[in-house]
């Protein structure tokens, strides 16, 4: 006993008449390898073997072959080393109880299932629920079953990529997968992706499905219209001829202004068309040609629809005081997009303030506060804990020094670079925490 407490492998030198269960347990507790020197009767003792297996899964190979029929011991070993199941008798791997426990823990152990259990839908779906790739180890008959694969794609749409060819031709299964993950259409059979009715339904589910439609269908106006009415960016996958159709492009822009990037180059170079586009969404200016981004009339039309569109105009316009005066008269928020050298221009600040006051006076709200009073109220409401009256006055003075004399003008400054303007004005900047709050 003293010897095995020092080194469990000392068990090999013990006389057989003194080797009992307690001695073997002490040796195994010291090292699982001592199990190989235990008598046959003790190598089939569940408590002894379990103690060894808890140390290392390979201890099960040193045990009596009969012990491999014990599901709890097998599970204890396999949970530490799943591939140990290769050495387990098939009759044990046919146990649904054991294998259900295993796939819940390690879904890829589905590969070790044998016999009729390979066709067990409940077991396979349990594995798929935890890792869709485990489906590759299911029986081919299951992966070729439309009813089973319908259940599988409802668990995880990615399983469609492992389905048999006949299932990839099944509209119901493919549509179910596409509803959950549109890119699964890539794995649909070519016949389906060339089918007008099917692709019309797919485009209704997800416009980007057009990416996987056949070339012929990408040139069908009704398919393309169905796709872009769902997702403007689907215009990218339309046939070249349709990307040159003004009405189709405008419909896409109405859904997503960034769709303008996929319009035909001739349209994006055409002033008349781009004027229509920016009136739908000013930010469509982002797709205009370099020459048109420098066109004052087009840019002002875009700003009128959405002041943020000014950031897509050429820098020459944003640094032109005359143009920027026009822009801030259209929307005072355009001040946020001015070139840095114009941030402190008194004429531009005055024009922005005038436009803000004009807008405020047009609101029939006799009880509203004046611009300065609103700003002071906001500063007091949002002030950080511990700010004194002196700190609040200092903050107000700094903001006034850069023309942020009202709540809208403060919002514009924050949308651009508040601290950058303060530096340009020679003022101390706010901390990052203050700006965020």
């Amino acid at each position: 006993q003293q010897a095995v407490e020092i080194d469990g492998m000392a068990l090999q030198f013990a006389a057989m008449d003194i080797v009992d269960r307690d001695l073997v347990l002490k040796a195994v507790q010291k090292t699982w390898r001592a199990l190989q020197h235990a008598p046959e009767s003790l190598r089939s003792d569940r408590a002894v073997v379990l103690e060894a297996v808890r140390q290392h899964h390979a201890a099960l190979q040193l045990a009596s072959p009969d012990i491999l029929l014990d599901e709890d011991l097998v599970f204890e070993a396999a949970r530490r080393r799943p591939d140990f199941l290769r050495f387990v008798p098939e009759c044990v791997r046919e146990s649904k109880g054991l294998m259900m426990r295993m796939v819940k823990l390690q879904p890829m152990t589905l590969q070790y299932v044998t016999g009729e259990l390979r066709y067990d839908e409940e077991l396979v779906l349990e594995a798929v629920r935890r890792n869709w790739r485990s489906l590759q180890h299911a029986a081919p008959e299951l992966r070729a079953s439309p009813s089973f694969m319908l259940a599988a794609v409802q668990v995880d749409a990615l399983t469609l990529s492992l389905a048999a060819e006949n299932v990839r031709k099944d509209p119901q299964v493919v549509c179910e997968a596409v509803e959950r993950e549109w890119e699964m259409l890539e794995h649909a059979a070519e016949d389906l992706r060339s089918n007008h009715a099917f692709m019309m339904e797919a485009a209704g589910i997800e416009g980007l499905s057009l990416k996987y439609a056949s070339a012929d269908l990408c040139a069908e106006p009704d398919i393309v219209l169905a796709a872009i009415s769902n997702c403007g960016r689907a215009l990218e996958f339309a046939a070249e001829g349709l990307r040159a159709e003004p009405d189709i492009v405008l419909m896409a822009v109405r859904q997503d202004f960034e769709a303008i990037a996929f319009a035909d180059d001739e349209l994006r170079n055409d002033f008349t068309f781009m004027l229509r586009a920016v009136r739908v969404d000013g930010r469509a200016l982002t797709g205009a040609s370099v020459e048109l981004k420098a066109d004052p009339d087009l840019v002002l039309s875009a700003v009128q629809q959405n002041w943020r569109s000014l950031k897509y105009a050429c820098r020459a316009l944003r640094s032109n005081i005359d143009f920027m005066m026009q822009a801030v008269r259209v929307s005072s928020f355009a001040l946020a997009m001015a070139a840095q050298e114009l941030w402190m221009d008194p004429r531009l600040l005055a024009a922005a303030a005038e436009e803000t006051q004009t807008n405020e006076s047009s609101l029939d709200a006799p009880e509203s506060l004046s611009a300065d009073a609103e700003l002071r109220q906001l500063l007091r409401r949002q002030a950080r804990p511990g700010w004194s009256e002196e700190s609040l006055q200092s903050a107000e003075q700094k903001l006034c020094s850069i023309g942020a004399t009202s709540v809208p003008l403060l919002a514009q400054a924050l949308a651009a670079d508040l601290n950058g303007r303060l530096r340009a004005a020679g003022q101390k900047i706010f901390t990052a925490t203050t700006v965020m709050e």
Side-chain angles (χ1 to χ4, degrees), residues 297-315:
D297 293 333
L298 181 65
V299 175
L300 284 175
S301 294
V303 171
Q304 191 166 17
Q305 202 284 325
N306 189 323
W307 66 270
R308 292 177 178 83
S309 61
L310 186 56
K311 70 180 178 181
Y312 303 117
C314 72
R315 194 180 189 286

Side-chain angles (χ1 to χ4, degrees), residues 54 103 108-109 145-146 169 178 225 236 265 332 343 366 372 397 422:
R54 282 174 176 160
V103 298
M108 297 304 283
T109 55
S145 166
K169 295 179 181 179
V178 171
L225 286 171
E236 176 183 2
D265 287 345
S332 62
W343 284 354
D372 285 343
Q397 289 169 3
L422 288 171

Side-chain angles (χ1 to χ4, degrees), residues 52-94:
V53 167
R54 282 174 176 160
Q55 292 183 41
H56 200 284
H57 68 278
L60 203 54
Q61 292 176 278
L62 303 177
S64 170
D66 293 341
I67 206 70
L68 291 177
L69 300 178
D70 189 306
E71 292 184 12
D72 290 335
L73 284 174
V74 170
F75 177 74
E76 192 66 35
R79 67 191 291 267
R80 289 172 167 75
R81 185 68 181 266
D83 64 353
F84 178 75
L85 287 171
R86 291 179 299 173
F87 308 109
V88 175
E90 286 193 8
C91 62
V92 177
R93 287 185 279 138
E94 288 177 0

Side-chain angles (χ1 to χ4, degrees), residues 127-436:
V128 167
R129 191 169 285 112
R130 286 161 171 74
N131 187 336
W132 67 271
R133 293 182 178 85
S134 62
L135 184 63
Q136 65 188 294
H137 302 299
E141 291 82 354
L142 281 184
R143 290 188 281 128
S145 166
S147 60
F148 172 76
M149 286 307 303
L150 182 61
V153 298
Q154 288 171 346
V155 170
D156 194 320
L158 296 175
T159 54
L160 183 65
S161 63
L162 299 172
E165 186 64 26
N166 68 300
V167 173
R168 298 185 192 192
K169 295 179 181 179
D170 189 295
Q172 185 182 7
V173 175
V174 176
C175 272
E176 194 71 35
V178 171
E179 281 187 5
R180 289 163 170 74
E181 179 58 63
W182 69 270
E183 289 197 337
M184 284 301 97
L185 194 58
E186 177 184 6
H187 303 289
E190 186 64 34
D191 292 348
L192 273 186
R193 291 190 277 136
S194 301
N195 183 287
H196 187 282
F198 174 78
M199 284 308 303
M200 182 66 83
E201 184 177 355
I205 293 171
E206 171 54 68
L208 292 175
S209 297
L210 190 63
K211 176 180 180 179
Y212 298 109
S214 65
D216 289 342
L217 290 184
C218 286
E220 291 281 346
D222 57 341
I223 294 283
V224 173
L225 286 171
I228 63 175
S229 64
N230 186 299
C231 177
R233 285 177 292 133
L235 183 66
E236 176 183 2
F237 309 111
E240 187 174 349
L242 295 180
R243 288 189 280 118
E245 287 289 332
D247 291 338
I248 288 179
V249 175
L250 288 175
M251 181 178 287
V253 170
R254 190 168 284 108
Q255 285 293 323
D256 186 338
F257 76 92
E258 292 183 336
I260 192 68
F262 308 117
D264 185 79
D265 287 345
E266 285 190 17
L267 285 183
R268 296 192 290 120
N269 279 314
D270 183 86
F271 177 86
T272 303
F273 170 76
M274 285 306 303
L275 187 60
R276 292 176 65 191
V278 298
R279 284 173 176 169
V280 169
D281 191 319
R283 295 170 296 176
L285 184 66
T286 184
S289 64
V290 174
E291 292 78 11
L292 290 182
K293 286 181 178 179
D295 188 292
D297 293 333
L298 181 65
V299 175
L300 284 175
S301 294
V303 171
Q304 191 166 17
Q305 202 284 325
N306 189 323
W307 66 270
R308 292 177 178 83
S309 61
L310 186 56
K311 70 180 178 181
Y312 303 117
C314 72
R315 194 180 189 286
L317 280 182
R318 292 187 291 111
S319 59
N320 183 297
I321 183 61
D322 294 329
F323 172 79
M324 286 304 302
M325 290 283 285
Q326 295 180 64
V328 297
R329 287 181 180 128
V330 170
S331 172
S332 62
F333 288 100
L335 179 63
M337 301 301 170
Q340 186 174 354
E341 58 266 28
L342 295 182
W343 284 354
M344 299 306 300
D345 191 289
R347 293 169 295 171
L348 194 59
L349 293 173
E354 182 182 349
E355 198 276 336
T356 299
Q357 290 168 2
T358 300
N359 286 342
E360 288 176 349
S361 62
S362 67
L363 299 175
D364 188 16
E367 295 183 1
S368 62
L369 298 172
S370 67
D372 285 343
E374 284 182 329
L375 180 61
R376 283 194 294 272
Q377 188 180 65
L378 176 67
L379 289 174
R380 280 158 177 73
R381 189 167 61 246
Q382 300 294 337
R384 298 182 63 193
W387 272 27
S388 63
E389 184 64 27
E390 184 180 350
S391 298
L392 287 168
Q393 290 177 0
S394 174
E396 185 179 336
Q397 289 169 3
K398 284 196 286 186
L399 293 174
C400 288
S401 72
I402 60 170
T405 56
S406 67
V407 173
L409 289 174
L410 174 58
Q412 294 164 17
L414 286 168
D417 183 0
L418 175 63
N419 279 335
R421 292 189 180 189
L422 288 171
R423 287 192 191 94
Q427 296 286 343
K428 184 178 179 181
I429 65 172
F430 291 112
T431 65
T433 303
T434 300
V435 172
M436 288 175 66

